Amino acid sequence: MTWTVAAEPFDSPDASALRRDYYDEVASRYWQRPATAEEIADGLDGDGADLLAPPTGQFVVGRYGSDAAGCAGLVLTESAEPGTAELTRVYVRPAYRGTGGGGALLASVEEAARAYGVQLLRLDTRHDLVEARGLYAKHGYREVPAFHRRNPYAERWFAKEL
């Protein structure tokens, strides 16, 4: 089977389920216990997903065969720094990890960013998300000094020139 990645509304059924699974995993890892349904709902409420749609960004869903298996988002930050955007909500469901989905998602978001005229794509992550950090490094993202403090959970920052 192969991966296909395409833009999709962040609130479509598949995108919503993937965003929920993403938040469940990052919250559960942070708390070192399963996140409750209430914690997941609270985290998704007002999470800024509305920025993941034109003209402020884009959301992509990756499918492995016909299964919605991963997602990623792009948020344009032009007003703050021209030519810069943020990569966010990169997630591959555990059953599909190791099949090339992470790279396919990154390539799709990078292509969308270039189409918007983005020259620098950056992201933040946490120490415990070692798989994500490895994925970013493998695909040319370098660790950089902190570029904002909006995310209170951010511990590591990466950037890639496009």
Side-chain angles (χ1 to χ4, degrees):
M1 277 200 239
T2 60
W3 279 86
T4 56
V5 181
E8 191 164 319
F10 68 87
D11 57 355
S12 75
D14 284 340
S16 293
L18 284 160
R19 288 180 38 245
R20 185 196 179 292
D21 289 355
Y22 161 83
Y23 195 80
D24 184 7
E25 180 164 337
V26 297
S28 295
R29 288 177 90 167
Y30 180 80
W31 296 112
Q32 298 179 344
R33 61 163 173 76
T36 67
E38 183 177 321
E39 289 168 333
I40 295 167
D42 286 347
L44 291 171
D45 184 40
D47 71 343
D50 56 315
L51 296 174
L52 299 171
T56 55
Q58 184 170 309
F59 194 74
V60 298
V61 170
R63 288 183 165 70
Y64 189 68
S66 61
D67 298 338
C71 62
L74 172 70
V75 177
L76 302 176
T77 56
E78 289 291 326
S79 61
E81 296 179 49
T84 301
E86 290 187 27
L87 175 67
T88 185
R89 293 170 185 83
V90 178
Y91 176 71
V92 175
R93 286 183 166 142
Y96 302 95
R97 293 179 185 164
T99 62
L105 290 164
L106 293 180
S108 180
V109 170
E110 290 169 9
E111 181 181 329
R114 285 185 190 96
Y116 278 110
V118 171
Q119 299 156 356
L120 181 69
L121 194 55
R122 58 191 193 177
L123 63 100
D124 61 51
T125 190
R126 297 192 326 244
H127 296 305
D128 63 321
L129 300 175
V130 293
E131 302 91 343
R133 292 184 7 239
L135 173 71
Y136 303 136
K138 177 180 177 181
H139 290 277
Y141 290 79
R142 69 188 192 298
E143 198 153 356
V144 297
F147 50 81
H148 68 65
R149 295 284 181 191
R150 288 189 310 261
N151 178 355
Y153 303 103
E155 299 170 319
R156 305 288 277 273
W157 292 263
F158 288 80
K160 181 177 181 178
E161 292 183 25
L162 301 179

